Amino acid sequence: MTEMNKQWLLKSRPVGEPTPDNFELAESPVSEPAEGQFLVKVIYMSLDPYMRGRMNASKSYAVSAELGQPMTGSGVGVVVKSRHKGFAEGDYVMGMTNWQSYWLSDGTGVMKLDPARAPISTAVGVLGMPGLTAYVGLLDIGQPKEGETVVVAAASGAVGSVVGQVAKIKGARAVGIAGSKEKCDFVEKELGFDICLNYKDPDFVAKLHEACPKGIDVYFENVGGAVFEAVFPLMNDFARIPLCGRIANYNMTADPEGPNKLPAFFGDMLVKRMTLQGFIISDRYNRLPDFLRDMGAWVAAGEVKYKEDIVKGIEKAPEAFIGLLKGANFGKLLVQVSDDPTRK
Amino acid sequence: MTEMNKQWLLKSRPVGEPTPDNFELAESPVSEPAEGQFLVKVIYMSLDPYMRGRMNASKSYAVSAELGQPMTGSGVGVVVKSRHKGFAEGDYVMGMTNWQSYWLSDGTGVMKLDPARAPISTAVGVLGMPGLTAYVGLLDIGQPKEGETVVVAAASGAVGSVVGQVAKIKGARAVGIAGSKEKCDFVEKELGFDICLNYKDPDFVAKLHEACPKGIDVYFENVGGAVFEAVFPLMNDFARIPLCGRIANYNMTADPEGPNKLPAFFGDMLVKRMTLQGFIISDRYNRLPDFLRDMGAWVAAGEVKYKEDIVKGIEKAPEAFIGLLKGANFGKLLVQVSDDPTRK
């Protein structure tokens, strides 16, 4: 029986919120590797908020996904056939596998993984792109100093959870924001943030004020919207805003209703001498060796913890992704496409 | 006959645009210096856009001026009586003279001037706070590289004129924006910018596009409003926006009508990985020695030119200041309060 490759194709571009109709599941026989190629059976597919931008035709920081082509993204898998000298059958790898169950690679951008060092799934999580995003954004742009206050939303998520824990390692106060009591409890008790607030709480703004008695020095911006509105007035002089994402705006189809808050924003940025800097992690891979050294040690020592939200079955990818944009996940969202032989 | 000190007091706080009614001219006998003090006869009063912020009760980056007290500001004058060891009659000085014709000082923050080295008026212009603002904002935040494009508005003004000329010295393309053909001609022909555009031109947006064929790498923000709206879409990846002022918004009393452009602004900042940094020059006086060395040499060599707009008579200060906020001045705006014996 021919082995089949299941692929999620981008069927149509969403207007606003993506719907299941924007995706199409296709099946085709698995390709044979040519000379210099190898075939990867995907184990975990990573789902990340940035993928929403790739569904648009308009310019984002990543090249758009093409209509009729597989959704783009990274994943982790095992080499099942190889005609490439550098990769052998049984090797665990991380690469741009896209949303599919089998991936043919020539080795470009592929990283070999050692399951003895860390669970292979972490290569797209705490020890991968999301972890690096948190590390670079916080340390290189946010530059928290001892005793300063760092605020991050989506605090139980793949990026936010690392931001707060690294802030603590650097001696700062870590204030998390998340979308449920359960998430907040986890962020405080398991991740060790000083406090975590539920933005759905009717007293959220007042509680944030209380939680930041000395104001906010670093706001790691990954959500935008109402959270930004609550945070911004509390920013201190010389505060830094690493701008990583704005999940609240990803489905925006037009400028929201007025008033226009941009002029007042500039006024505050000036009066408080603040810095706002957008960054995209693919520009910053020069920091990968430092990151792997530090984060590898922190994770090994239990100083940085992580939580994974594993959805089983490639069929569920669109639904899980749509949920991710609404904060339905709890931890780093992965789709498990096939068995993980390394996990006990 | 007792010598009288004329002072412009802040009579009331403006709502929106300042009016002559917000100011009151008071006269009182000139004070005698006590031990450790000296009396300065003011020659030039500097008028600068930041003073608008000081007229507000609300927090600005400078302490508010007090109602019934003299308007704050710097100026240049000559010591006419001294009981201070460090300052002698006949010394020319620059300091926080405020809006008045005589100033009693204990020497705090006072700089002695050598009329043989540079005209004394430049101590509040190209060799003073406005020049330092341009120097620090452009070089430390804007960081223009050879071949990059730098855009600055109010290009014939005290700060903008220096920004473009220093950009040229650093090998960048300098694109100025100003409010009349006369100003633009001056900026191109006298100051040596590559091009200067009149923002009142109906084709301004299209002309700006043409003037920046390789996009914009540094936008020195000192005006905001329609100029910002025209400039921002042309910004390149990794562009820098030193935020020095927003004269178009200084008289704003409420957020302007919608739509709300802030979320889209964040989207662009992220996708293009741009940096916006507010700065206030009083935080950056550590750069004064470098500035005085470089700018002194550039002015002496004619590499940086400057233009002064001198209004005669302290009585005209409010009118001149109100005009400044509308761009009525042409060059660094000074009020000449008394004769300048150093000027031929």
Side-chain angles (χ1 to χ4, degrees):
Chain A
M1 205 179 81
T2 316
E3 192 81 42
M4 299 300 278
N5 181 26
K6 291 185 183 175
Q7 291 187 310
W8 277 108
L9 311 179
L10 179 62
K11 187 177 168 192
S12 57
R13 300 197 186 280
V15 178
E17 211 174 288
T19 64
D21 286 351
N22 298 131
F23 305 89
E24 180 174 17
L25 189 61
E27 286 199 47
S28 57
V30 170
S31 309
E32 285 293 316
E35 188 55 39
Q37 290 185 326
F38 55 95
L39 182 69
V40 174
K41 184 177 185 185
V42 176
I43 300 173
Y44 297 108
M45 243 172 66
S46 179
L47 292 182
D48 303 280
Y50 78 85
M51 293 170 171
R52 176 63 187 84
R54 299 210 174 172
M55 299 181 77
N56 292 338
S58 60
K59 188 181 173 185
S60 175
Y61 51 82
V63 176
S64 296
E66 297 293 333
L67 285 177
Q69 294 295 313
M71 283 287 294
T72 51
S74 58
V76 165
V78 60
V79 176
V80 288
K81 279 184 196 171
S82 181
R83 297 182 64 192
H84 187 295
K85 283 173 198 158
F87 295 87
E89 202 173 317
D91 280 352
Y92 291 96
V93 294
M94 189 276 287
M96 289 301 289
T97 57
N98 298 330
W99 291 28
Q100 59 187 349
S101 54
Y102 283 91
W103 178 50
L104 212 52
S105 169
D106 64 2
T108 306
V110 174
M111 202 161 80
K112 273 199 224 186
L113 305 176
D114 178 359
R117 291 191 62 173
I120 57 172
S121 57
T122 59
V124 290
V126 67
L127 292 172
M129 186 274 289
L132 180 61
T133 300
Y135 179 89
V136 164
L138 181 69
L139 297 182
D140 295 0
I141 301 175
Q143 298 178 30
K145 289 168 202 67
E146 211 168 315
E148 286 192 334
T149 297
V150 173
V151 173
V152 63
S156 66
V159 175
S161 61
V162 176
V163 168
Q165 292 180 90
V166 174
K168 289 298 296 176
I169 289 170
K170 297 295 175 184
R173 176 174 171 79
V175 176
I177 298 168
S180 73
K181 184 175 183 317
E182 190 193 3
K183 287 179 180 177
C184 286
D185 284 348
F186 170 77
V187 168
E188 288 181 4
K189 288 169 195 160
E190 295 299 317
L191 303 183
F193 284 43
D194 293 280
I195 191 168
C196 185
L197 304 171
N198 183 348
Y199 68 86
K200 294 173 184 166
D201 188 322
D203 295 330
F204 168 62
V205 173
K207 285 186 174 167
L208 183 66
H209 213 291
E210 266 172 48
C212 303
K214 294 194 286 177
I216 297 169
D217 302 292
V218 179
Y219 172 52
F220 190 101
E221 171 65 308
N222 53 8
V223 299
V227 170
F228 171 81
E229 302 277 341
V231 164
F232 192 63
L234 304 180
M235 302 300 287
N236 288 331
D237 286 355
F238 307 106
R240 290 80 67 196
I241 308 176
L243 170 56
C244 167
R246 296 271 288 181
I247 201 168
N249 300 132
Y250 286 176
N251 292 328
M252 193 173 86
T253 52
D255 290 331
E257 271 186 33
N260 182 7
K261 293 177 180 169
L262 189 57
F265 169 78
F266 267 81
D268 289 333
M269 288 294 296
L270 174 55
V271 168
K272 295 187 180 175
R273 297 86 112 189
M274 292 188 278
T275 301
L276 170 70
Q277 185 170 0
F279 74 102
I280 291 172
I281 203 59
S282 53
D283 298 328
R284 307 223 175 209
Y285 283 151
N286 63 314
R287 294 283 273 140
L288 195 59
D290 293 334
F291 163 72
L292 289 174
R293 181 198 61 220
D294 290 346
M295 195 62 67
W298 292 332
V299 170
E303 288 187 85
V304 170
K305 293 173 184 161
Y306 62 95
K307 181 175 173 61
E308 295 175 333
D309 185 339
I310 301 178
V311 172
K312 300 215 170 185
I314 192 170
E315 289 75 11
K316 292 193 179 147
E319 182 191 327
F321 177 67
I322 291 167
L324 173 69
L325 296 177
K326 297 174 184 164
N329 60 306
F330 185 4
K332 163 63 195 163
L333 184 60
L334 297 164
V335 173
Q336 184 155 11
V337 178
S338 64
D339 282 347
D340 177 357
T342 70
R343 193 171 284 232
K344 289 131 208 167
Chain B
M1 205 179 79
T2 315
E3 193 80 43
M4 298 300 277
N5 181 26
K6 293 185 180 174
Q7 291 188 313
W8 277 110
L9 311 180
L10 179 61
K11 188 177 166 192
S12 56
R13 301 198 186 279
V15 179
E17 211 173 287
T19 64
D21 285 352
N22 299 130
F23 306 89
E24 178 174 20
L25 191 60
E27 287 199 47
S28 57
V30 169
S31 310
E32 286 292 317
E35 187 57 38
Q37 291 188 322
F38 55 95
L39 183 68
V40 175
K41 184 177 185 185
V42 177
I43 300 173
Y44 297 108
M45 240 173 66
S46 180
L47 292 182
D48 302 279
Y50 78 86
M51 292 168 172
R52 175 63 187 83
R54 298 209 176 175
M55 299 180 77
N56 292 339
S58 59
K59 187 179 176 186
S60 174
Y61 50 82
V63 176
S64 297
E66 297 293 333
L67 284 178
Q69 293 296 310
M71 284 287 294
T72 51
S74 59
V76 164
V78 61
V79 176
V80 289
K81 280 185 194 167
S82 181
R83 297 181 65 191
H84 187 294
K85 283 173 195 156
F87 295 87
E89 202 173 315
D91 280 352
Y92 291 97
V93 294
M94 189 275 288
M96 289 301 290
T97 59
N98 298 331
W99 291 28
Q100 59 188 348
S101 55
Y102 283 91
W103 178 51
L104 212 53
S105 170
D106 63 3
T108 306
V110 174
M111 200 160 81
K112 274 200 223 186
L113 306 175
D114 177 0
R117 291 191 62 174
I120 56 172
S121 57
T122 59
V124 290
V126 67
L127 293 172
M129 186 274 289
L132 180 61
T133 300
Y135 179 90
V136 165
L138 182 68
L139 297 182
D140 295 358
I141 301 175
Q143 299 179 29
K145 289 167 202 68
E146 211 167 314
E148 287 193 332
T149 298
V150 174
V151 173
V152 63
S156 66
V159 175
S161 61
V162 176
V163 169
Q165 292 179 91
V166 174
K168 290 299 295 176
I169 288 170
K170 297 296 175 183
R173 176 173 172 78
V175 176
I177 297 168
S180 72
K181 184 177 183 318
E182 189 192 5
K183 287 178 179 176
C184 286
D185 285 350
F186 169 77
V187 169
E188 287 180 6
K189 288 169 193 158
E190 295 300 317
L191 303 184
F193 284 43
D194 293 279
I195 191 168
C196 185
L197 304 172
N198 184 347
Y199 69 84
K200 295 174 183 166
D201 187 323
D203 297 327
F204 168 62
V205 173
K207 285 184 175 169
L208 182 65
H209 213 291
E210 266 172 48
C212 304
K214 294 194 287 179
I216 297 168
D217 301 292
V218 179
Y219 172 52
F220 190 101
E221 172 65 307
N222 53 8
V223 299
V227 169
F228 171 81
E229 302 276 342
V231 164
F232 192 63
L234 305 180
M235 303 301 284
N236 288 331
D237 285 355
F238 307 106
R240 287 81 66 196
I241 307 177
L243 170 57
C244 166
R246 296 271 289 184
I247 201 168
N249 301 130
Y250 287 176
N251 292 329
M252 193 173 83
T253 51
D255 290 331
E257 271 185 32
N260 182 7
K261 293 177 180 171
L262 189 58
F265 169 78
F266 267 81
D268 289 335
M269 289 294 294
L270 174 55
V271 168
K272 296 187 180 175
R273 295 87 110 191
M274 293 188 278
T275 301
L276 169 71
Q277 185 170 1
F279 73 103
I280 290 171
I281 203 58
S282 53
D283 298 327
R284 307 223 175 209
Y285 283 150
N286 63 316
R287 293 283 274 141
L288 195 62
D290 293 333
F291 164 73
L292 289 172
R293 180 198 63 220
D294 289 345
M295 195 63 65
W298 292 332
V299 170
E303 287 186 86
V304 170
K305 293 173 183 162
Y306 61 94
K307 181 174 173 63
E308 294 174 335
D309 185 339
I310 301 177
V311 172
K312 301 216 170 185
I314 193 171
E315 290 74 11
K316 292 193 177 147
E319 181 190 327
F321 177 67
I322 291 167
L324 173 70
L325 296 177
K326 298 174 184 165
N329 59 306
F330 185 3
K332 164 63 197 164
L333 184 60
L334 298 163
V335 173
Q336 184 154 13
V337 178
S338 65
D339 282 347
D340 177 357
T342 69
R343 195 170 282 233
K344 288 129 206 167

